[in-house]
Amino acid sequence: MVKTLIIGNGVAGISCARSLRRFTDDPIAIISDESDFFFSRTALMYVYMGHMRWQDLEPYERKYWQKNKLDLIRAKIVSFDFQNRQVISEDGNKYGYDRLVLALGSVPNKFGWPGEELDGVSGFYSKQDLERIEEKSSLIKRAVIVGGGLIGIELAEMFHSRNIPVTMLVRESEYWSSVLPNDEAAMISAHIRNRKIDLRLETKLKSIRGEDGKVKSIVLDAGEELECDFVGITAGVRPHIDLLKGTPLSTDRGILVNEFLETNIPEVYAIGDCAQLTSVRIDRKAVEAIWYSARKMGNALAANLAGIKTPYDPGIWFNSAKFFDLEYQVYGTVPNKIEFPLDSIFWKAPQDEKSIRLVYDTTTNEIAGFNLLGVRFRQEVCHKWISGKSKISDVLSDIRLAFFDPEFFPDYAPELLESFKQKTGHNIQLRSSGKLNSILQFLKS
Amino acid sequence: MPAFTKLQRIQNNQLAFIVCAFFALILMLWISFDNIIWSGSWIYILLLLSLSITGYAWNQYRNEHPGIKNNGTWFSGLTSRSWSAWLTAIALTCFYVLLYWWPEYLGLRPQGNTGLIAIFDPLSYLLKKQPASQWFVYGVFYTLFILFFGLKFIWKYRHNAYQRIRTISVMFFQLFFAFLIPEWMLRMNLPYNDLKNMWPLNYYFFDAWNIESFKNSGSIGWFFLVFGLLMIFVISPLLTYFFGKRWYCSWVCGCGALAETAGDPFRHLSDKSANSWKLERLLIYPILFLVIIMTIGVLYTYKTGQPELLGMSTSALRKYYGFFIGSAFSGVIGVGFYPLLGSRVWCRFGCPMAAILGIQQKLFSRFRITTNGGQCISCGNCSTYCEMGIDVRAYAQEGKNIVRASCVGCGVCAAVCPRGVLKLENGPEGGRLTESVISNS
């Protein structure tokens, strides 16, 4: 009997618990102070917008946990006693373990802005953040969102859905241009402005002013003052590890783990947003606050705990998001500044908000990545092209294999090939129809 | 959790809608008791109905950008099982009860209609040279609801070609195949027949009177009979093999048409629990069995003249099925409970046609919903908006294909997915249950 204790019931902790249960009948307990049951953090916004109820965010039925003997504990852990293999909660309870999995998640970044402690300043990360924002919403006359990432635009969309005017402060020259190539970033900026969001580019927050402890206005770096009742801080997240400072556990920005997700203390492991990999592949980051990375880490660790040595493999990079009505997908390497030896083919629909970018290596002509707005591509096919180092010309002539848009959507393959021809002078013939038969054959080949 | 605040705008819309519906109902009943009829008043009623529905839709979507708009669905009383939903459900149910069992209160009189039904006499004479029946009035309302709520649906999903085309298809089949063509047939003294309406949904197909009516109508009657049989045994399995049951349930069928159009605002109300899945299988397959037994009995009596089969009266069996399943379940509960249980209650728990097509879809079909590798973030929009109560997310987050007997292929899961994870596809049958190329772990 080996007792596994998991701190954190996010996707990392829960994936680990669920996977581990398939290997062993030993006791598994999961501690969280955020919610009674696992929920999908990525969908918090949909509760606020009225698309779903809270219970709809829970991917597994509530009886699932008991049935699978996964012990859910609601407690706030305040200290760690690695020596005696126990953790201590706020109300003094001690929880012993044989193996400890730290899946502590993230907290929103703050940068020491004057006034950031005022009532009405909030990040948007947890169930409690959602509840706080909900409580304030009926009184908000204008909301300001500081930071232009994925959470920032989620908050903007949430307020927009309740007809609350929003100002978004973004440091870069276009929305998310630290990540996206300029064409795409500009498309999204225009999309945001189209939704009547007051998007302020190249603008920084200087301070937040309050009255009676509540947010009253903000001051921009140029000196302009804007009245508002709410300030959303969405300038990224950092590992939630403040409690571990000063313990024997090795930390840097996050908890340091090797490829098997082991920390420097035996039988203590870390996964998800709070983990920092000590050896990182050149194209990936040491800390990745990504839903699927957390899931993969949880699954990999479960295999390790079950005695099947499994290094964490992040796979080929992919991600997706939705900016109001504009879907975004990325596969492989797509830097925001595409420089030698990389180059790209970019196609944008003349009327619709749709674009495709294919990044390739000009020295080898091998495909490196795909960046898509308003267009859905099939991950398996992109994955196979990238990992198989397919030539850009082969990718283009088979491009329909990757299309994942619903039936009857327009076929933009000829236009994409035309973009390639204009750029390189090469004429490429389409050879695939994009039928599922040929896609499956391609994937099996 | 604090109560999530309601949107003022949505509340107002909804209020307007309820007030309209309420006054329309009062008007209907008032007219049927007092015989105040002027010729051509049906035109005004239909105009009022169409204007109020399209006006409501226009008001709701005119300022919205194309894209999925489910904002406030769970805050709006009508779509979140509040008192207004209950009121609507009760009103609808009452209407069905009157329609099926006490049509005289709607004005049906053998010696000359009065009230609501009489209002539609002129239209009925225009179409088929007969006075209106309660079924004619119902057919007019049913068709108009599909047409106008269909327009609303297209407006809402205008960014999605699959949804647009599918909705035009159900509107077309309802208007011509279910409504106009059968009425014209009657006008030409030919048997009333809705070509797209198949046994066992159309459970009277094998009834003696129906078969006799076909046999006595010359070559067109024989055509209907043979076509009906071909539909059951050849055309429908073939189409289901190629496209899944969606070709019928969400492209052609009249019940599906109403659920997809007028029922769309209620699709998130269908229960997604494993228990409801169990209940679904406990109801739908026994009902299919019952309709088969009943049909065998009816045919046996027709062939041999024996009124009983294995000690059971075939006509009684036929009567009970007609009452409990054909009327009470499909009509009263199926539509009346839209605002409480979601739009596909009948299709999901009762329809024997859906059961047969579902078995075919599960056993042999090229249709499945594929999921896009590891892109699923388990947000749950797909499951929430699945009208058939399928927990789509459970499959999507594992990267599995979705091959479920109950899936009607409406495509809304793929439309509401914020990450483009789901796609309706037809492909090779082999391996569709296991096919998953990228491991999601």
Side-chain angles (χ1 to χ4, degrees):
Chain A
M1 286 268 281
V2 183
K3 185 179 179 183
T4 306
L5 185 64
I6 299 171
I7 317 282
N9 71 349
V11 61
I14 291 296
S15 299
C16 180
R18 276 172 34 86
S19 288
L20 185 58
R21 181 47 82 228
R22 293 190 195 122
F23 293 113
T24 167
D25 274 334
D26 286 352
I28 301 172
I30 304 151
I31 298 184
S32 165
D33 70 327
E34 185 182 10
S35 61
D36 290 332
F37 297 95
F38 169 55
F39 68 93
S40 181
R41 188 174 305 288
T42 46
L44 282 173
M45 63 184 291
Y46 298 113
V47 175
Y48 184 89
M49 291 165 69
H51 293 211
M52 289 190 267
R53 297 161 299 173
W54 179 263
Q55 61 264 42
D56 301 324
L57 297 197
E58 292 173 0
Y60 308 102
E61 286 194 59
R62 291 183 172 183
K63 61 187 177 191
Y64 170 89
W65 307 104
Q66 211 174 6
K67 206 171 130 194
N68 289 283
K69 290 180 283 167
L70 297 168
D71 194 10
L72 303 180
I73 300 163
R74 187 82 186 261
K76 186 177 173 69
I77 298 304
V78 290
S79 65
F80 297 84
D81 181 357
F82 296 114
Q83 194 88 52
N84 297 312
R85 295 201 170 181
Q86 61 184 18
V87 297
I88 299 124
S89 71
E90 198 172 39
D91 44 17
N93 286 333
K94 289 176 178 159
Y95 301 92
Y97 62 82
D98 300 312
R99 294 189 302 206
L100 181 67
V101 177
L102 299 169
L104 306 171
S106 302
V107 286
N109 276 331
K110 287 190 181 179
F111 293 97
W113 289 296
E116 66 181 18
E117 72 295 334
L118 286 164
D119 183 19
V121 181
S122 176
F124 182 57
Y125 182 86
S126 65
K127 181 173 191 258
Q128 285 71 25
D129 292 337
L130 176 69
E131 288 168 349
R132 188 180 316 119
I133 294 170
E134 176 58 43
E135 258 161 38
K136 301 227 174 302
S137 281
S138 56
L139 302 170
I140 301 176
K141 288 200 236 8
R142 171 164 292 273
V144 171
I145 293 161
V146 184
L150 296 178
I151 298 181
I153 199 158
E154 282 183 9
L155 257 183
E157 189 174 353
M158 285 159 59
F159 289 131
H160 181 73
S161 79
R162 303 234 186 142
N163 300 324
I164 296 170
V166 178
T167 297
M168 256 182 110
L169 311 182
V170 173
R171 284 186 306 175
E172 290 98 16
S173 60
E174 296 288 355
Y175 168 83
W176 222 29
S177 55
S178 59
V179 174
L180 293 170
N182 203 55
D183 295 302
E184 284 92 326
M187 264 173 85
I188 299 173
S189 297
H191 188 85
I192 295 168
R193 289 206 162 120
N194 237 320
R195 267 69 188 163
K196 308 243 177 350
I197 303 293
D198 173 28
L199 175 66
R200 310 263 181 124
L201 299 167
E202 293 176 319
T203 307
K204 285 183 205 155
L205 175 72
K206 198 164 152 197
S207 66
I208 305 167
R209 289 189 180 161
E211 198 179 271
D212 306 328
K214 287 181 183 161
V215 172
K216 186 85 180 96
S217 65
I218 55 145
V219 182
L220 304 177
D221 53 355
E224 192 188 344
E225 186 169 352
L226 283 173
E227 273 199 33
C228 62
D229 319 279
F230 182 88
V231 179
I233 305 284
T234 60
V237 292
R238 62 184 170 83
H240 180 208
I241 56 162
D242 294 349
L243 278 173
L244 292 156
K245 296 272 158 69
T247 67
L249 195 71
S250 291
T251 59
D252 174 34
R253 281 172 53 223
I255 302 165
L256 293 169
V257 291
N258 64 14
E259 60 184 327
F260 300 105
L261 306 160
E262 296 159 332
T263 66
N264 64 318
I265 300 175
E267 301 301 334
V268 177
Y269 309 84
I271 49 176
D273 288 11
C274 70
Q276 179 179 348
L277 294 162
T278 47
S279 59
V280 196
R281 243 172 45 189
I282 187 158
D283 56 334
R284 300 297 282 255
K285 287 178 183 150
V287 179
E288 265 179 10
I290 296 279
W291 178 261
Y292 75 83
S293 306
R295 184 177 61 206
K296 283 184 168 185
M297 281 191 190
N299 290 332
L301 176 59
N304 283 321
L305 295 179
I308 306 159
K309 271 286 185 197
T310 310
Y312 165 65
D313 173 14
I316 288 170
W317 170 254
F318 67 93
N319 201 8
S320 60
K322 193 170 183 182
F323 313 107
F324 285 89
D325 299 308
L326 191 52
E327 285 177 21
Y328 157 70
Q329 291 183 341
V330 58
Y331 300 106
T333 306
V334 182
N336 65 336
K337 289 190 177 59
I338 297 167
E339 289 160 344
F340 184 83
L342 296 180
D343 200 351
S344 72
I345 318 285
F346 182 70
W347 166 82
K348 185 181 175 313
Q351 302 297 327
D352 293 328
E353 290 176 295
K354 288 179 189 294
S355 75
I356 299 174
R357 182 185 297 276
L358 270 62
V359 180
Y360 62 103
D361 187 317
T362 49
T363 56
T364 59
N365 280 324
E366 285 165 5
I367 187 80
F370 302 82
N371 207 46
L372 312 151
L373 282 181
V375 172
R376 299 173 173 184
F377 265 21
R378 195 181 298 266
Q379 184 182 0
E380 287 99 328
V381 172
C382 296
H383 185 278
K384 188 168 165 112
W385 279 331
I386 295 166
S387 61
K389 299 185 187 302
S390 298
K391 301 284 183 220
I392 178 79
S393 52
D394 286 334
V395 168
L396 279 167
S397 53
D398 281 337
I399 196 72
R400 283 187 182 129
L401 297 177
F403 289 176
F404 200 72
D405 278 338
E407 289 161 302
F408 311 118
F409 271 49
D411 172 17
Y412 28 72
E415 291 170 42
L416 190 62
L417 265 57
E418 188 55 37
S419 308
F420 183 70
K421 193 180 168 188
Q422 277 173 14
K423 178 153 187 146
T424 64
H426 291 299
N427 217 345
I428 287 179
Q429 297 300 316
L430 282 164
R431 52 172 184 230
S432 173
S433 68
K435 288 219 166 84
L436 188 56
N437 288 13
S438 44
I439 293 161
L440 292 173
Q441 263 170 25
F442 167 76
L443 290 172
K444 280 174 194 156
S445 67
Chain B
M1 225 44 210
F4 282 85
T5 35
K6 295 177 178 187
L7 288 167
Q8 202 60 40
R9 187 170 50 86
I10 286 179
Q11 274 181 315
N12 291 342
N13 275 348
Q14 185 202 323
L15 203 67
F17 181 64
I18 292 164
V19 168
C20 282
F22 196 66
F23 277 105
L25 193 78
I26 302 236
L27 193 73
M28 256 160 54
L29 290 175
W30 175 68
I31 288 168
S32 50
F33 286 117
D34 295 312
N35 201 1
I36 306 167
I37 297 163
W38 63 100
S39 74
S41 53
W42 58 276
I43 295 175
Y44 294 100
I45 291 202
L46 300 189
L47 210 64
L48 186 79
L49 193 68
S50 50
L51 280 178
S52 61
I53 299 173
T54 42
Y56 169 70
W58 179 74
N59 188 33
Q60 200 168 13
Y61 300 115
R62 76 195 146 125
N63 291 325
E64 300 277 17
H65 290 275
I68 278 301
K69 292 294 168 311
N70 287 315
N71 293 349
T73 299
W74 281 107
F75 307 147
S76 163
L78 187 64
T79 55
S80 64
R81 298 197 190 106
S82 77
W83 61 268
S84 51
W86 279 90
L87 206 71
T88 313
I90 291 167
L92 279 171
T93 306
C94 290
F95 175 73
Y96 270 92
V97 169
L98 290 181
L99 184 80
Y100 278 114
W101 297 299
W102 289 285
E104 58 270 26
Y105 290 106
L106 299 173
L108 188 74
R109 301 273 192 286
Q111 66 275 28
N113 290 331
T114 61
L116 179 68
I117 292 180
I119 292 173
F120 288 88
D121 276 341
L123 181 62
S124 185
Y125 275 106
L126 196 70
L127 287 174
K128 57 178 176 182
K129 290 182 175 164
Q130 282 175 15
S133 67
Q134 83 267 39
W135 303 121
F136 179 79
V137 175
Y138 180 52
V140 172
F141 281 136
Y142 197 99
T143 306
L144 283 176
F145 267 58
I146 288 171
L147 293 181
F148 291 110
F149 279 107
L151 280 179
K152 174 179 176 285
F153 188 92
I154 291 173
W155 219 328
K156 177 176 175 183
Y157 294 89
R158 61 188 181 275
H159 62 291
N160 189 313
Y162 181 74
Q163 299 301 337
R164 288 197 307 263
I165 295 171
R166 183 175 72 83
T167 307
I168 290 167
S169 168
V170 287
M171 288 159 78
F172 168 82
F173 277 103
Q174 176 61 32
L175 180 62
F176 289 98
F177 280 67
F179 184 63
L180 288 178
I181 294 172
E183 300 294 356
W184 287 334
M185 303 291 298
L186 281 180
R187 189 189 170 111
M188 293 185 285
N189 270 326
L190 294 166
Y192 177 97
N193 189 33
D194 174 355
L195 275 174
K196 67 171 180 46
N197 201 8
M198 263 181 284
W199 180 90
L201 179 60
N202 162 10
Y203 53 89
Y204 56 75
F205 184 80
F206 290 106
D207 280 9
W209 62 265
N210 194 47
I211 296 181
E212 285 300 321
S213 142
F214 282 160
K215 280 163 74 176
N216 296 333
S217 306
S219 53
I220 190 124
W222 279 102
F223 168 75
F224 286 159
L225 198 60
V226 172
F227 185 76
L229 290 170
L230 278 177
M231 279 291 276
I232 302 162
F233 295 108
V234 182
I235 300 171
S236 142
L238 213 59
L239 285 170
T240 308
Y241 170 72
F242 282 111
F243 306 112
K245 74 198 261 194
R246 58 180 169 153
W247 78 268
Y248 188 72
C249 295
S250 61
W251 283 73
V252 167
C253 174
C255 309
L258 192 72
E260 292 295 335
T261 53
D264 176 63
F266 307 111
R267 54 190 318 129
H268 55 286
L269 298 171
S270 59
D271 192 336
K272 313 303 184 309
S273 67
N275 280 340
S276 67
W277 187 11
K278 268 183 211 146
L279 180 69
E280 182 183 311
R281 284 169 293 175
L282 273 174
L283 284 172
I284 195 165
Y285 297 116
I287 288 173
L288 173 62
F289 182 71
L290 195 66
V291 81
I292 291 171
I293 295 290
M294 177 192 85
T295 305
I296 292 171
V298 165
L299 276 174
Y300 173 80
T301 303
Y302 175 65
K303 200 77 199 144
T304 62
Q306 302 287 330
E308 286 191 350
L309 178 67
L310 303 171
M312 283 182 300
S313 155
T314 59
S315 69
L317 198 62
R318 161 75 176 69
K319 220 170 81 186
Y320 287 127
Y321 182 88
F323 179 82
F324 286 109
I325 311 295
S327 311
F329 200 159
S330 77
V332 181
I333 299 174
V335 179
F337 286 20
Y338 270 12
L340 302 176
L341 298 174
S343 52
R344 288 270 194 176
V345 178
W346 159 248
C347 313
R348 184 182 174 195
F349 295 101
C351 178
M353 188 73 215
I356 289 191
L357 295 176
I359 294 169
Q360 293 170 3
Q361 171 163 283
K362 181 88 196 201
L363 292 182
F364 59 90
S365 172
R366 292 163 57 82
F367 173 71
R368 87 289 315 261
I369 303 175
T370 51
T371 61
N372 202 5
Q375 285 278 21
C376 177
I377 52 164
S378 304
C379 75
N381 272 294
C382 52
S383 291
T384 304
Y385 288 92
C386 176
E387 56 190 347
M388 294 304 283
I390 300 169
D391 190 0
V392 183
R393 166 175 54 191
Y395 299 84
Q397 62 191 0
E398 308 272 327
K400 285 181 184 157
N401 289 340
I402 297 140
V403 183
R404 276 273 294 269
S406 57
C407 175
V408 292
C410 69
V412 167
C413 56
V416 299
C417 176
R419 306 292 168 113
V421 172
L422 302 160
K423 180 168 160 56
L424 277 55
E425 296 194 75
N426 309 309
E429 198 195 322
R432 81 201 149 104
L433 298 166
T434 49
E435 207 88 55
S436 174
V437 180
I438 282 195
S439 149
N440 218 15
S441 58

